[in-house]
Amino acid sequence: MTMRTAEERALLLPHGRVRPVVTAEEWLRRLLLLLVVGFLLVGVLLPLVPLVARSLSDPEGRFVGLANYVRYFSSPGLASSFVNSLTIATATTLLAVGLAFGYAWAIARTCMPGKGLFRAIALLPLFAPPLALAIGLVYLFGNKGLVTTGFFGFFERTLGLPLAYNIHLYGMNGIILGELLYCFPQAFLILTVAASLADARLYEASLALKASPLRTFWVVTMPGMRYGLISAIFVCFTLAFTDFGVPKVVGGNFNVLATDIYKQVIGQQNFVMGATISILLLAPTVIAFVIDRIAQRRQMAVLTSRSVPLRPRPHRLIDTIALIYCSLIAAAILIVIGAVVYASFVDVWPYRLGLTLRHYDFRHVGGGGWAAYTNSLWMSFYSALFGVVIIFLGAYIIEKSRTWPLLRHFAYFLSMISVALPGLVIGIAYIFFFNPKSWTIAGLAFPNPFAFLYGTMAILVLANIVHFYTVSFMTATTALKQIDPEFESVSASMRVPFYRTFARITLPLSLPAVAEIAMYLFVNSMVTVSAVIFLYSPQLRLASVAIVNMDEAGDTAAAAAMSVLIIAACLIARLVYTVVVHQLNRRTQAWRLP
């Protein structure tokens, strides 16, 4: 019997198993994983605790159970907002997904000309704040809008045709139109990917069996796109249900949950009822998120190694119909955004239509002017910079490491649930979590270590990163899954530290995805209003919030001008992204080319 040294005995576990040696490199992995989990706990999960607690308490902090919810639904004016939000979200989802399905199908499955142009136009609303889209509708269909007045009576005076038409914009009609413009590009992006993934063999088999085009559509096309449709429905419903910008501008007396939260918190300083409405706003989005996750787990690969990519064949009638259909939708998008741009240069709408730049001089209007615009640029830059580092490192540790599996699964769960948190809920939850100087737990007061963040640029950046975390995380995870795990295995066998493999192999191969995440964070941080409207300070005003303040003060032209500046910044960011990715693909992705 051999004698073991003290060091060997220390490595033995019961039943003769050997205790694994934890190296310094493994401790570094664990440290990074703990930092990721800590960030997600502070940014996502912990702020929800005081939000839920406040909704179950009275203004003095005493526990009252569900009394606040009973009071909410007992008030006819407030309770109707919940039904109104569901109605708006359902109608918008049906319209946006239906129109986007036809648009995506036309681009992916026909040979119509100008696909690149139509794709670019469809994505334009992504670069505009929802408030800007609503302002464009006001200039078209408002009381003094172009369509409402028949282009200021031009057609009636010249042609004798009374082409004026009033759609009664302020209320449900206006909100649905605005949300439709807001949600359409999101659904289009998802459905374009779904429509592009098709196996030509299935369509050849359908043709050989002499199936009608309608039967082929229902039996072949729809099953292949059903999971894309489910995701599009989930995204559109969540966006329309939780959006604040469009109802704020064109809602009129038609109340929804998002505007109710704003009125309760900002107008009445009723934080208890604001927390209660926030939970009601959160519940349907969480349910939609769970349904979407269940559907995604059942999804099977549409394309296999034996699949044959479907190439659309020219068909004059179908291509012509697709071209007309896409032209009408593209024209509607351009008209709305064009109305915002045009109105920002008009002297006095609708009385003096001469062009001027005076609306870009924000010194005589509220909202913060050019300082607010500069703050938004810096906030978006910081959100993109720090967001890329946090999100990509987090995705790398979760996807590529094998340390502490349960904690990695928990980190993945936290990374995914942030998509179900509306911006307004994040904002009000951060007030309850970061604003108090101390927390009271079980009657004991504990200092709040995060209170210093409140009212600073840091909390705005944190809110944006958390708000847009999930989509960026999924982009990073997808890029990392495309890299062969053998890189890490070979590096480990050669005792190359994982951080060196990350710097020399993983990161260079993932640079296009990193650039995409940065662009996504920058653009969305510029246009968002719901996530930051409760968190900005008088010293840190933001451009998107300035649009709200200008619109409330009646300075609609100045609000349009600020909207144009935001759109310009987002388009420039997109242009820079396109150039950078092109150069990165030439340098780091050349091995993928045939």
Side-chain angles (χ1 to χ4, degrees):
M1 183 176 179
T2 59
M3 297 295 293
R4 293 187 175 93
T5 65
E7 293 180 354
E8 290 175 332
R9 289 196 300 271
L11 294 175
L12 287 180
L13 293 172
H15 308 293
R17 291 183 292 123
V18 178
R19 187 191 308 274
V21 178
V22 180
T23 63
E25 187 178 345
E26 179 64 16
W27 278 115
L28 179 58
R29 285 195 185 96
R30 293 180 178 183
L31 176 62
L32 290 174
L33 180 59
L34 288 173
L35 289 175
V36 170
V37 172
F39 173 83
L40 292 171
L41 283 174
V42 173
V44 178
L45 194 60
L46 293 181
L48 297 179
V49 175
L51 178 69
V52 175
R54 189 65 68 95
S55 73
L56 302 175
S57 307
D58 62 12
E60 286 72 36
R62 295 187 294 266
F63 179 77
V64 295
L66 300 178
N68 293 322
Y69 296 93
V70 173
R71 184 157 60 91
Y72 177 85
F73 285 106
S74 300
S75 173
L78 292 176
S80 63
S81 298
F82 186 79
V83 177
N84 291 345
S85 294
L86 287 175
T87 303
I88 293 294
T90 303
T92 300
T93 300
L94 293 175
L95 290 172
V97 173
L99 292 174
F101 182 90
Y103 202 95
W105 186 89
I107 287 180
R109 301 289 181 90
T110 71
C111 293
M112 70 172 190
K115 290 184 179 181
L117 177 62
F118 286 118
R119 184 190 300 270
I121 294 174
L123 299 181
L124 274 180
L126 292 176
F127 304 103
L131 293 152
L133 301 175
I135 289 173
L137 292 175
V138 170
Y139 279 110
L140 289 172
F141 303 107
N143 295 331
K144 297 294 183 180
L146 283 172
V147 176
T148 307
T149 61
F151 290 83
F152 309 128
F154 173 78
F155 289 108
E156 186 172 4
R157 290 194 306 270
T158 56
L159 303 176
L161 298 175
L163 295 181
Y165 184 71
N166 189 351
I167 68 168
H168 304 289
L169 179 70
Y170 298 101
M172 185 172 68
N173 294 341
I175 297 176
I176 291 176
L177 279 177
E179 300 296 356
L180 175 59
L181 287 166
Y182 177 44
C183 297
F184 174 83
Q186 309 278 356
F188 166 72
L189 281 174
I190 297 171
L191 294 174
T192 300
V193 175
S196 301
L197 299 176
D199 190 347
R201 297 176 304 168
L202 299 177
Y203 290 88
E204 292 172 358
S206 178
L207 184 63
L209 294 171
K210 297 181 179 180
S212 65
L214 183 61
R215 180 168 178 78
T216 302
F217 176 80
W218 286 110
V219 175
V220 179
T221 303
M222 287 301 293
M225 294 184 64
R226 65 181 180 272
Y227 293 109
L229 281 168
I230 292 173
S231 292
I233 290 171
F234 157 68
V235 169
C236 290
F237 182 88
T238 302
L239 290 175
F241 188 80
T242 62
D243 181 49
F244 166 77
V246 172
K248 183 68 179 68
V249 176
V250 296
N253 295 323
F254 191 86
N255 294 324
V256 295
L257 288 176
T259 53
D260 277 356
I261 295 176
Y262 182 77
K263 292 174 183 176
Q264 294 292 332
V265 174
I266 301 297
Q268 303 180 27
Q269 297 291 301
N270 189 346
F271 289 96
V272 169
M273 189 53 66
T276 304
I277 302 174
S278 296
I279 299 299
L280 295 176
L281 188 71
L282 180 63
T285 62
V286 171
I287 294 173
F289 168 75
V290 171
I291 294 173
D292 179 67
R293 287 291 96 195
I294 293 174
Q296 294 301 323
R297 286 186 177 182
R298 297 182 178 181
Q299 183 175 1
M300 299 177 63
V302 178
L303 295 180
T304 65
S305 59
R306 298 180 180 180
S307 297
V308 178
L310 178 64
R311 301 185 183 278
R313 298 176 181 177
H315 190 291
R316 177 172 295 183
L317 178 60
I318 293 178
D319 292 346
T320 302
I321 294 174
L323 179 61
I324 295 173
Y325 177 82
C326 291
S327 298
L328 291 175
I329 294 179
I333 294 173
L334 289 176
I335 288 172
V336 173
I337 295 180
V340 178
V341 177
Y342 175 61
S344 70
F345 293 104
V346 170
D347 190 6
V348 180
W349 187 285
Y351 305 106
R352 296 200 303 268
L353 299 180
L355 302 183
T356 179
L357 291 175
R358 69 182 184 87
H359 300 304
Y360 289 86
D361 182 5
F362 302 113
R363 289 177 297 177
H364 305 294
V365 295
W370 284 99
Y373 183 66
T374 304
N375 289 337
S376 287
L377 290 174
W378 280 113
M379 179 192 69
S380 302
F381 173 76
Y382 292 141
S383 299
L385 177 63
F386 295 109
V388 160
V389 174
I390 294 169
I391 294 170
F392 193 80
L393 281 178
Y396 176 80
I397 291 298
I398 293 172
E399 182 64 30
K400 292 294 186 179
S401 72
R402 295 295 175 262
T403 187
W404 288 343
L406 290 179
L407 194 59
R408 282 192 296 108
H409 291 316
F410 181 60
Y412 181 85
F413 168 75
L414 292 178
S415 300
M416 296 302 296
I417 65 169
S418 69
V419 73
L421 300 180
L424 287 173
V425 173
I426 293 175
I428 195 170
Y430 277 21
I431 292 177
F432 297 145
F433 185 75
F434 291 98
N435 188 33
K437 299 299 181 183
S438 61
W439 297 325
T440 302
I441 304 175
L444 300 175
F446 298 90
N448 183 355
F450 306 107
F452 71 95
L453 294 174
Y454 194 79
T456 66
M457 179 69 78
I459 197 171
L460 300 175
V461 172
L462 175 63
N464 284 325
I465 294 174
V466 169
H467 191 198
F468 307 114
Y469 192 97
T470 299
V471 174
S472 303
F473 174 80
M474 293 176 66
T475 301
T477 302
T478 302
L480 291 169
K481 285 181 177 179
Q482 293 177 349
I483 300 176
D484 197 330
E486 289 297 321
F487 286 116
E488 281 77 18
S489 300
V490 172
S491 297
S493 65
M494 299 178 65
R495 297 187 177 181
V496 177
F498 78 93
Y499 49 82
R500 187 172 299 173
T501 305
F502 173 82
R504 293 186 176 182
I505 297 177
T506 305
L507 184 59
L509 292 178
S510 304
L511 283 178
V514 170
E516 183 177 351
I517 294 170
M519 188 273 297
Y520 174 81
L521 290 172
F522 182 90
V523 169
N524 282 278
S525 298
M526 281 295 298
V527 304
T528 188
V529 62
S530 59
V532 296
I533 195 165
F534 293 142
L535 300 175
Y536 78 98
S537 66
Q539 294 76 31
L540 278 174
R541 298 187 178 187
L542 302 173
S544 57
V545 179
I547 297 175
V548 177
N549 296 332
M550 292 173 185
D551 181 71
E552 286 182 338
D555 298 316
T556 311
M562 185 65 77
S563 300
V564 172
L565 292 175
I566 292 177
I567 295 172
C570 294
L571 290 176
I572 291 173
R574 176 68 189 190
L575 179 62
V576 171
Y577 160 78
T578 303
V579 173
V580 169
V581 167
H582 177 71
Q583 295 297 324
L584 289 175
N585 285 332
R586 288 181 59 186
R587 294 187 178 186
T588 65
Q589 308 294 311
W591 61 277
R592 296 179 182 266
L593 301 176

